[in-house]
Amino acid sequence: MELPTELGILTCLTILAATLWIPYIVGVNTEPEREGAPNPFVRPPSQADMRPWVHRAWRAHLNLLEQFLPFAAVVLILDRVDGFNSLTYWTCITFFWLRIAHAVGMITATARFPSRPLIFVAGYVCILVLASQVFLAP
């Protein structure tokens, strides 16, 4: 049985979500020690005190998780109702590349206003398009 592209994209996004914590952890563990700061293993440092890219890495991971759950749910429902079609195919591919662009742009600070919020909103629109296909499934 061939894996539908939509489920393949969901698998790739799962791997991305499971991996995107790595830049944040690298950043946290390479933070210079500050005099009088609590042990980071006892109390995690405040996001406001971190280097900007470390904070952005944390936000990139959270932003992915915010959209990953609804995306995953809709894709799995579409699979259940046999609702995959050419629109869901291209919407899932678009969503995947939007999430890659968002994460890279967020961590590197190359995606600034208004591009980063527009990428996030475009991901939301992809989820709405997929959800509409649940109700239009045969």
Side-chain angles (χ1 to χ4, degrees):
M1 184 174 150
E2 187 176 319
L3 180 70
T5 299
E6 293 86 345
L7 292 178
I9 293 291
L10 179 57
T11 303
C12 290
L13 281 169
T14 302
I15 294 166
L16 179 62
T19 306
L20 201 52
W21 62 271
I22 293 172
Y24 171 71
I25 292 301
V26 167
V28 166
N29 288 304
T30 59
E31 281 286 324
E33 289 190 34
R34 293 183 315 277
E35 180 98 13
N39 181 335
F41 288 104
V42 174
R43 180 179 177 93
S46 167
Q47 299 298 323
D49 295 337
M50 293 184 177
R51 290 171 289 179
W53 78 266
V54 178
H55 187 209
R56 289 191 309 269
W58 177 68
R59 290 294 304 150
H61 188 230
L62 289 180
N63 284 170
L64 173 60
L65 295 178
E66 289 167 358
Q67 287 194 329
F68 174 75
L69 182 61
F71 176 84
V74 172
V75 167
L76 292 174
I77 293 167
L78 280 166
D79 183 47
R80 180 75 173 96
V81 300
D82 199 25
F84 293 146
N85 57 42
S86 61
L87 181 60
T88 63
Y89 173 89
W90 287 110
T91 302
C92 286
I93 291 171
T94 301
F95 183 82
F96 175 77
W97 288 110
L98 285 169
R99 295 311 315 168
I100 294 289
H102 188 275
V104 170
M106 179 83 128
I107 294 170
T108 63
T110 55
R112 299 184 180 266
F113 186 82
S115 63
R116 195 175 70 228
L118 288 174
I119 292 170
F120 191 84
V121 170
Y124 173 69
V125 170
C126 286
I127 294 167
L128 293 179
V129 168
L130 292 171
S132 74
Q133 296 306 294
V134 169
F135 298 105
L136 297 173

